[in-house]
Amino acid sequence: MLFRRRHHLRRPHRDWRAVLHLLGPGLITGASDDDPSGIATYSQAGAQFGFNLTWVMLFTWPLMAAIQEISARIGRVTGKGIAANLREHYPVSLLRGMIALLLVANFINLGADLGAMGDALRLLVGGPRGLYVLLFAAFCTTLEIYASYRRYVAYLKWTTLSLFAYVAAALTIKVPWGEVAYDTVVPHFLWQTDYVVVIVAVLGTTISPYLFFWQASEEAEDERVDPKAHPLVDAPQEAPAQIRRIEIDTYIGMGLSNLVAFFIIVTTAATLHLHGITDVQTSEQAAEALRPIAGAFAFYVFALGIIGTGLLAIPVLSGSAAYALAEAMNWQAGLSLEPHQAKRFYATIVGGTVIGIGINFVGLDPIKALFWTAVINGVVAVPLMILMMVMTMQPKVMGRFTLPRWLHYTGWASTAAMAVAVAVMFATWGG
């Protein structure tokens, strides 16, 4: 009896570890999407339009999850990242043009996120913003280069808990949850240019090229470091368990991403919007504006969330750039490799982070910088998604694991939604 009782007490712990084991690249990818720049976008959505945009997070979840599952399948089926597959099957000049634009967008975004983290810490404790930018950059880069791969992945998984700061912030304020539920399930579309622009911004934030590259490359890397795992084209018997794991990991990861974005919109809608504050340009502005309205606790939780999500997003931004460039150039690549084994891969991580630091010291307008990031991501995303959709239906790439019909259709729907968003972005810009 005593043995059985002890066995029963240990069982929930093992069950929890089993669930955690299923979560990996999808969870990290989804959580990194809620970076400080994304927080600014969601805060603006809530501040400007109240609860009228909560439906967007429900609408984008299956689209985002589908394209990320497709990215993950590419990595796990072939044992190679997206850039490596594109280099093998398409003109190298097309790929390298995309990678060049991706690097520019990622490094600008990285700089904006470092600046937001510095601003958030300055709001919390005072002191020099520039020093905090340097310290955050040094911490993230050192950990990414020198930590063992398994330990580093575990760190990224646990960092995703910082996202729940925004759930806590929403639960500390008065929210008309009935109205929120209605607006989420029954969209009320406003035929206003600003409303459409914010929807486009949210869609561009949730579906970004760097997320595709990161998740595919991490799936391939996880397979390489596991001696029992193989690319599915070489070991089809592993497919049922691995594809099921990818589905669970991706849909939970993207669900968490959109759930947190939903709570950010709710928090800023129930506070800033109701008090007439409708223009929020950065995540730290949102945190500062919350203090007199929602109280000190909501302010601290919101600001700490900016730092936590930044600690997750910085490695993903620099790492996805390094994976994409190294695979496109056929260099050795992988966070599981020692620095001397993949010098150019790690040099890209360091170089990108240095550029991000520099952006914060040259007087570059962060709002304009993020605007250009959105433009560049739009230019890259649509053709990249089209190539991915075509590639994943070719047996010469995916073997017997071409996309099932439902995922094929949903992936094309996601691609079409992104194409419309980019067209609207350029039409609005031209206007």
Side-chain angles (χ1 to χ4, degrees):
M1 180 67 72
L2 181 61
F3 171 78
R4 288 182 179 177
R5 182 172 295 176
R6 286 178 178 172
H7 178 76
H8 175 72
L9 289 173
R10 287 198 301 265
R11 192 171 168 184
H13 178 66
R14 289 203 303 271
D15 290 346
W16 168 249
R17 293 191 62 163
V19 171
L20 189 63
H21 181 70
L22 289 174
L23 303 178
L27 175 68
I28 295 168
T29 302
S32 69
D33 190 38
D34 291 324
D35 66 330
S37 301
I39 293 168
T41 300
Y42 305 134
S43 297
Q44 176 61 28
Q48 189 170 3
F49 293 105
F51 306 121
N52 280 328
L53 281 171
T54 53
W55 66 268
V56 177
M57 305 322 303
L58 186 63
F59 169 77
T60 57
W61 176 47
L63 301 181
M64 180 187 184
I67 200 65
Q68 290 302 144
E69 182 185 344
I70 291 167
S71 302
R73 283 176 179 247
I74 291 173
R76 191 63 182 82
V77 168
T78 67
K80 295 175 284 190
I82 291 172
N85 278 288
L86 291 176
R87 176 176 53 79
E88 187 173 332
H89 299 286
Y90 295 95
V92 174
S93 57
L94 173 64
L95 170 63
R96 289 180 178 172
M98 286 186 179
I99 300 303
L101 291 173
L102 175 77
L103 263 61
V104 172
N106 276 25
F107 296 159
I108 292 174
N109 204 338
L110 192 155
D113 285 352
L114 283 173
M117 294 164 70
D119 284 327
L121 188 55
R122 179 178 52 81
L123 287 176
L124 290 169
V125 301
R129 172 186 185 270
L131 175 62
Y132 298 148
V133 168
L134 290 170
L135 291 176
F136 283 131
F139 174 76
C140 291
T141 305
T142 300
L143 201 62
E144 194 165 12
I145 295 174
Y146 293 106
S148 70
Y149 179 72
R150 293 189 184 280
R151 185 170 297 176
Y152 185 64
V153 169
Y155 156 78
L156 292 178
K157 284 185 183 180
W158 285 110
T159 306
T160 61
L161 292 175
S162 63
L163 295 177
F164 289 98
Y166 296 104
V167 179
L171 296 178
T172 63
I173 60 176
K174 185 178 180 180
V175 175
W177 290 109
E179 181 182 347
V180 171
Y182 181 83
D183 286 342
T184 302
V185 178
V186 184
H188 178 62
F189 197 89
L190 301 178
W191 295 103
Q192 302 174 10
T193 301
D194 289 347
Y195 187 80
V196 175
V197 168
V198 172
I199 292 176
V200 170
V202 169
L203 189 61
T205 298
T206 54
I207 302 177
S208 296
Y210 78 90
L211 301 174
F212 312 158
F213 285 103
W214 172 265
Q215 188 164 355
S217 294
E218 282 305 289
E219 283 288 346
E221 182 110 359
D222 282 357
E223 177 269 311
R224 286 195 297 270
V225 301
D226 184 354
K228 298 179 181 179
H230 310 83
L232 297 186
V233 289
D234 298 328
Q237 71 277 6
E238 298 176 18
Q242 289 301 317
I243 289 177
R244 182 59 178 161
R245 176 195 57 79
I246 286 172
E247 291 174 343
I248 293 171
D249 182 27
T250 301
Y251 278 83
I252 289 178
M254 303 312 131
L256 173 63
S257 174
N258 280 27
L259 180 67
V260 169
F262 169 85
F263 276 105
I264 293 171
I265 293 173
V266 167
T267 299
T268 52
T271 53
L272 307 186
H273 179 76
L274 292 183
H275 286 79
I277 300 173
T278 59
D279 186 17
V280 176
Q281 298 292 332
T282 64
S283 54
E284 62 272 14
Q285 284 181 9
E288 184 64 59
L290 278 173
R291 194 200 310 246
I293 298 172
F297 181 76
F299 159 74
Y300 284 117
V301 168
F302 205 91
L304 286 170
I306 294 170
I307 296 171
T309 57
L311 291 174
L312 180 62
I314 296 301
V316 174
L317 285 163
S318 60
S320 62
Y323 275 118
L325 179 61
E327 290 171 6
M329 302 299 292
N330 201 23
W331 298 341
Q332 286 278 27
L335 293 172
S336 61
L337 299 176
E338 296 293 329
H340 68 274
Q341 295 175 305
K343 293 179 181 178
R344 288 176 288 192
F345 172 78
Y346 285 112
T348 305
I349 290 175
V350 174
T353 305
V354 169
I355 292 171
I357 293 170
I359 287 173
N360 287 278
F361 291 93
V362 297
L364 186 66
D365 185 337
I367 308 305
K368 290 182 179 178
L370 288 175
F371 168 78
W372 285 107
T373 298
V375 171
I376 295 169
N377 277 331
V379 170
V380 174
V382 176
L384 175 61
M385 292 169 75
I386 291 172
L387 288 174
M388 288 168 57
M389 293 307 303
V390 172
M391 185 168 63
T392 48
M393 293 305 292
Q394 295 181 349
K396 69 177 182 179
V397 180
M398 302 291 286
R400 68 176 74 175
F401 300 108
T402 54
L403 299 182
R405 185 172 297 178
W406 69 269
L407 186 56
H408 178 66
Y409 291 151
T410 311
W412 276 115
S414 180
T415 304
M418 195 64 195
V420 170
V422 171
V424 171
M425 177 181 68
F426 280 111
T428 305
W429 183 25

